[in-house]
Structures are given as C-alpha cells and as structure tokens.
Amino acid sequence: NAGVTQTPKFQVLKTGQSMTLQCAQDMNHEYMSWYRQDPGMGLRLIHYSVGAGITDQGEVPNGYNVSRSTTEDFPLRLLSAAPSQTSVYFCASSYRQAATNEKLFFGSGTQLSVL
Amino acid sequence: KNQVEQSPQSLIILEGKNCTLQCNYTVSPFSNLRWYKQDTGRGPVSLTIMTFSENTKSNGRYTATLDADTKQSSLHITASQLSDSASYICVVRGGGKLIFGQGTELSVKP
C-alpha cells in the first residue's frame, strides 16, 4: 500500500493563478481532509469529506474548493492564489471520522509558495 | 477557547539521553489525546492515542502519559537516537474536532 499520496511536492505560483493539489489514498478510507501548516501554528483544517460526494468546510476554507467524486481521491483547488496561501499543505485520511480512536494518516505534504 | 499548548518550543539533547515533552490542553469535551512525530519534509506519523481512562501508553522508546484531571500530557523519550530528531505534535480530539499544538522541535546531537 502506498498510503496517502500527494502531488506535487513543491509548487510556486504567481498571485491570481489557480492550481489543484492532488491527494489519493489506497486504504479505502471514508474520511479525507486537507490541512495547512504555517510556522508557529498548529495544523489547521481547510476542508474535509466523510465519503464520496460529501464535503464540508473546516476552520480556514476561504479561497479553497474541494470535491470527492471517488473514495480514493480528494483534490484541493486554489481558485485565485494569494500570498497568504503560502504554506505547507497536508492531506490526511482515516477509515472513519466518527470513531474516536481512528488513527489519521498523513501524506508527505505540498510546499506552496505564492509570489 | 479550545487550545493545546506545548513546551518547550525546541529542545537539544545528546544522543543516548532521555527527554520529556509537555502538552497542556483546554479542550472540552475531551475524547482522546494523540502524539505525532513529524520528520522534516514529511507528514506527521501517529505515535500514541490515549482516551480518558488511559494514563500511560508506550510505543517502543516513546511513553506518553495523560492526567485528565489536570489536563496535561507528557511524551517521554528514552535513550534518544539521532533518528528521534523531529517535531513532536500533541493533538487533542474534542467535540468532533482535532486541535493541534504547535509542536516541540527536538534535535538529538551525537
């Protein structure tokens, strides 16, 4: 099993450009989520999904869109990149969200710089 | 406000020594507390998950403790190795949400 796979590893964008961060998992997990990690702060939840066709907003959703057409894939779209979106982005998944002891599996991250 | 505070922010120790990282939280209602290890350039990896009724859990040389009364947790690393150099993140689940601490940056020197 590859686990949670994120692409690309690094990306540089100009302000106003759009792009999609890819996330795929091969563990048949129902729950998938996107976080951003900024210096001096804990990870913050952007969007999450509890199954195919179901998505919801997290703590910091503005400027980002998601969709979940399959169980395996959960792409994150930046609509019009802004310097404030410079961050490291992590995709994470677990078998189910509801079970309190579910272990969360993270991808290796995408480092995004917006100039 | 739900918060998770970790201390120290960073720590340098010599290989072979023990160390203890601290986590204080004000998350309610409380479901569980997790410790993650994050190597540079990688995503966090789960070390332990403890519920309200568990006060100690081990994973190899890592031992986590939880005092639900004082809302404190610690992660003790025994006989540190160079590969223990990483950021250690405390995460508390409460009210259906995961609240992440800022992490403690541990550097193990030879």
Side-chain angles (χ1 to χ4, degrees):
Chain A
N1 285 351
V4 180
T5 303
Q6 286 185 240
T7 56
K9 183 73 174 175
F10 301 95
Q11 183 70 49
V12 179
L13 293 177
K14 294 181 179 178
T15 297
Q17 286 185 315
S18 62
M19 78 158 295
T20 300
L21 307 184
Q22 301 291 344
C23 175
Q25 52 88 12
D26 61 358
M27 298 174 282
N28 201 31
H29 284 173
E30 291 182 358
Y31 178 81
M32 296 185 74
S33 55
W34 277 101
Y35 288 89
R36 60 178 289 172
Q37 186 174 40
D38 299 297
M41 302 181 71
L43 276 80
R44 292 182 292 169
L45 182 64
I46 304 171
H47 284 286
Y48 66 95
S49 168
V50 297
I54 305 169
T55 63
D56 208 345
Q57 296 181 348
E59 183 185 352
V60 288
N62 292 343
Y64 308 95
N65 269 1
V66 291
S67 60
R68 183 97 179 268
S69 56
T70 67
T71 300
E72 295 78 20
D73 300 299
F74 190 46
L76 178 72
R77 296 184 190 84
L78 278 70
L79 309 173
S80 177
S84 61
Q85 293 178 304
T86 293
S87 187
V88 181
Y89 291 84
F90 288 99
C91 180
S93 72
S94 65
Y95 185 58
R96 292 175 299 154
Q97 183 198 22
T100 58
N101 290 347
E102 284 295 339
K103 189 184 294 187
L104 202 56
F105 293 85
F106 286 85
S108 57
T110 295
Q111 189 168 319
L112 176 68
S113 294
V114 182
L115 306 177
Chain B
K1 182 182 177 183
N2 288 331
Q3 278 188 312
V4 176
E5 299 285 343
Q6 293 185 241
S7 61
Q9 222 172 357
S10 62
L11 182 62
I12 301 174
I13 62 172
L14 292 176
E15 187 179 12
K17 298 296 186 183
N18 303 335
C19 69
T20 301
L21 314 181
Q22 300 291 343
C23 173
N24 295 342
Y25 62 92
T26 56
V27 177
S28 182
F30 174 86
S31 290
N32 58 51
L33 185 143
R34 306 148 181 246
W35 283 94
Y36 283 84
K37 179 187 179 189
Q38 184 177 18
D39 292 317
T40 301
R42 309 288 295 179
V45 174
S46 180
L47 292 175
T48 62
I49 301 176
M50 289 185 292
T51 59
F52 185 89
S53 59
E54 297 173 299
N55 52 25
T56 302
K57 186 164 273 191
S58 292
N59 179 355
R61 294 180 295 103
Y62 301 100
T63 299
T65 65
L66 173 64
D67 186 334
D69 291 332
T70 62
K71 299 187 177 181
Q72 296 180 324
S73 176
S74 64
L75 180 69
H76 186 75
I77 304 175
T78 304
S80 61
Q81 300 176 359
L82 298 179
S83 60
D84 292 329
S85 294
S87 178
Y88 292 84
I89 303 172
C90 176
V91 187
V92 178
R93 183 182 179 94
K97 297 181 179 180
L98 291 176
I99 314 297
F100 288 78
Q102 300 141 300
T104 292
E105 196 72 35
L106 174 65
S107 180
V108 181
K109 301 293 187 183

